[in-house]
Amino acid sequence: MAAPLALLLIVAVTIRAALFRTSLANLISERVEVVSPLNAWKRVVEGLALLDLDISPYSGDVFHETPMVIYLFHFLMDYAEITFMGAGVKFSSLHLVSQFRKQKFALEADRIPMDCLELIRSPTEMYYIPLKVAMFYLLNPFTIVSCVAKCTCGLNNAVIALFILSTMRGSALLSAIFLALATYQSIYPLTLCVPALLYLLQRLYIPVNVRRSSFWFYTLQYLFMFLGSLLVLICLSFFLLGSWDFLPAVYGFILSVPDLTPNIGLFWYFFAEMFDHFRLFFLCVFQINVFFYTLPLSIKLKEHPVFLIFMQIALIAIFKSYPTVGDLSLYMAFLPVWNHLYRFLRNIFLVSCVLLACSALFPVLWHLWIYAGSANSNFYYAITLLFSVAQILLVSDYFYAFLRREHHLTNGLYLKKKDGSEATLVLK
């Protein structure tokens, strides 16, 4: 496994290094699908210029990254390309997710009906999943263009990868610290607190029961570490800047969505056409989408926290206010972990074709709208809307496939009616 992974890393770094030296790097860094007002490298450079002049980078409406990021690049400005490539390579550490799955499937094999053994992957089938996860992330075109554009989304993905790695290893302290760092960066990873807590409780064989003191003790302990780490990061940011200007400039910007630059998300067009007196109501409706599904999904998937992490990351990528293609690459890297669900997927071919077609049409419709003048914003928003619908279909299809597999593992693969004829399974 070490040799193929090393070869994969060499290929991934070579591709990125080669693209950094071409004129495509400047072109990619201007694409609205790849960068957003939150994470564009050009805005980071402008923030650094203001910082060098002893002016707060948040004094204007240009820089909206966190203080930790700007001070990181204040010292690593000359090594920015290496930093972004290193952030991508960090994702290869997610092989521990598949190690957890290997242990879980070994336990499942002892308690399922005999006709469902074909649904359980053998250790041989599990062996190459770590390599596939790394390949799906490092060689994903979305990841490559994000890295070449120096989009700081790659740093967020690396932090979330470290959070998942720490959680899989059962380190509550590191899990809470990296989750706090991810939340500090963009707020939305706050929803990952629930699946992380469920996994750590499951690992320690603590039942999720509100009447058990052990449940509340561990939950409060984890929340204390998480909130304490988040408070330390915010206070450190204050001491670095000497003011609280970053709070409205970063978190207020994410939640209030004042910049309606087109992107691949759902917010920009809707709020560009919105009357001002309706804006606050619909802003709350749109923002709550990311957080609303956490509770029902946690109840349904409380025995499967790793799949819940996958679902939450996908929902964040779809419903956040300023999404980029780099956010998609994070949850798409998980798809090989769930390759045992392929037989139950219903729309995978259609969704794949739609995602590919939309990816190709983004620059075409942008050119027709902005440069040729033969189209308008409706054309571009239509393709972003279709792109989001395709993602929703993809995630819901995996959710259906996961529930169907769990049903078969409990009731058998080949269901029969009372008269002995074959039954049809309908999930409602």
Side-chain angles (χ1 to χ4, degrees):
M1 179 62 72
L5 183 59
L7 179 61
L8 175 63
L9 294 177
I10 292 172
V11 171
V13 170
T14 302
I15 292 173
R16 287 160 172 77
L19 287 174
F20 273 128
R21 299 294 178 267
T22 66
S23 58
L24 287 175
N26 292 329
L27 176 64
I28 293 172
S29 64
E30 299 292 333
R31 297 300 313 168
V32 294
E33 303 87 8
V34 181
V35 298
S36 74
L38 273 176
N39 51 36
W41 177 245
K42 181 168 64 175
R43 292 179 179 245
V44 175
V45 173
E46 292 181 9
L48 286 169
L50 291 173
L51 190 65
D52 290 337
L53 295 172
D54 292 328
I55 301 174
S56 171
Y58 303 104
S59 58
D61 191 32
V62 175
F63 184 71
H64 300 287
E65 264 290 359
T66 56
M68 300 290 283
V69 168
I70 195 169
Y71 276 95
L72 172 68
F73 285 108
H74 185 71
F75 297 104
L76 298 177
M77 186 64 180
D78 295 335
Y79 307 98
E81 296 177 3
I82 298 174
T83 303
F84 284 106
M85 287 191 287
V89 169
K90 279 288 184 184
F91 201 88
S92 61
S93 62
L94 273 183
H95 67 278
L96 281 176
V97 175
S98 58
Q99 288 182 3
F100 164 79
R101 299 297 301 173
K102 189 183 299 184
Q103 296 167 1
K104 193 171 190 303
F105 289 142
L107 294 173
E108 286 178 344
D110 295 332
R111 61 177 177 83
I112 65 170
M114 291 300 295
D115 63 344
C116 291
L117 288 178
E118 61 185 272
L119 299 180
I120 305 298
R121 290 180 292 186
S122 65
T124 304
E125 294 172 319
M126 295 288 293
Y127 181 76
Y128 288 103
I129 289 181
L131 184 62
K132 292 177 182 177
V133 170
M135 186 182 299
F136 264 60
Y137 188 78
L138 295 176
L139 299 184
N140 189 329
F142 291 158
T143 314
I144 294 173
V145 295
S146 292
C147 179
V148 173
K150 298 179 184 177
C151 175
T152 56
C153 172
L155 300 179
N156 298 343
N157 290 350
V159 172
I160 294 176
L162 291 172
F163 152 72
I164 296 172
L165 175 63
S166 303
T167 306
M168 295 301 109
R169 284 184 168 175
S171 175
L173 178 60
L174 288 178
S175 172
I177 290 173
F178 285 119
L179 178 59
L181 188 56
T183 305
Y184 165 79
Q185 283 293 109
S186 62
I187 298 179
Y188 298 115
L190 175 66
T191 60
L192 298 176
C193 181
V194 177
L197 184 58
L198 288 174
Y199 176 83
L200 293 169
L201 288 169
Q202 188 181 92
R203 186 182 177 94
L204 295 174
Y205 302 101
I206 300 175
V208 182
N209 188 338
V210 294
R211 297 181 180 179
R212 298 287 294 268
S213 59
S214 58
F215 166 76
W216 285 111
F217 176 77
Y218 194 85
T219 300
L220 293 175
Q221 184 183 25
Y222 185 81
L223 290 177
F224 177 78
M225 290 186 291
F226 166 66
L227 294 175
S229 301
L230 187 59
L231 182 62
V232 168
L233 289 170
I234 292 175
C235 291
L236 181 60
S237 299
F238 170 75
F239 289 126
L240 287 173
L241 285 175
S243 71
W244 297 105
D245 292 345
F246 69 94
L247 290 177
V250 179
Y251 308 118
F253 186 83
I254 293 173
L255 294 175
S256 62
V257 199
D259 192 321
L260 300 179
T261 302
N263 54 57
I264 62 171
L266 301 171
F267 282 71
W268 66 273
Y269 183 86
F270 191 85
F271 287 99
E273 303 294 330
M274 176 66 60
F275 291 110
D276 287 341
H277 56 282
F278 290 126
R279 179 181 171 85
L280 179 60
F281 171 75
F282 282 101
L283 193 62
C284 294
V285 171
F286 271 61
Q287 292 287 10
I288 205 173
N289 264 302
V290 179
F291 305 96
F292 177 77
Y293 303 105
T294 303
L295 182 59
L297 284 175
S298 299
I299 294 172
K300 186 65 178 179
L301 299 172
K302 67 177 182 179
E303 301 295 332
H304 310 282
V306 179
F307 188 76
L308 180 58
I309 290 176
F310 164 73
M311 292 291 295
Q312 288 297 137
I313 292 175
L315 290 174
I316 290 171
I318 297 170
F319 292 116
K320 67 188 298 186
S321 54
Y322 292 103
T324 63
V325 292
D327 298 305
L328 275 68
S329 61
L330 179 60
Y331 78 83
M332 285 185 175
F334 278 91
L335 298 184
V337 179
W338 317 112
N339 60 12
H340 57 293
L341 302 178
Y342 289 170
R343 64 182 294 169
F344 300 121
L345 296 178
R346 301 167 296 177
N347 306 311
I348 188 63
F349 178 73
L350 174 63
V351 169
S352 301
C353 291
V354 171
L355 290 175
L356 289 173
C358 290
S359 301
L361 287 172
F362 276 133
V364 174
L365 293 179
W366 179 264
H367 179 81
L368 292 176
W369 174 25
I370 301 299
Y371 297 103
S374 57
N376 56 38
S377 60
N378 296 327
F379 288 74
Y380 191 79
Y381 184 67
I383 208 67
T384 61
L385 192 61
L386 182 60
F387 192 66
S388 298
V389 170
Q391 292 182 77
I392 293 170
L393 286 176
L394 176 66
V395 175
S396 60
D397 208 13
Y398 268 90
F399 187 49
Y400 162 82
F402 186 86
L403 294 180
R404 181 169 178 179
R405 178 181 176 274
E406 290 300 313
H407 184 275
H408 284 308
L409 289 177
T410 303
N411 301 285
L413 184 58
Y414 304 102
L415 304 178
K416 301 291 183 181
K417 295 181 180 178
K418 292 182 179 180
D419 59 2
S421 60
E422 184 177 352
T424 302
L425 178 64
V426 178
L427 296 180
K428 294 184 179 180

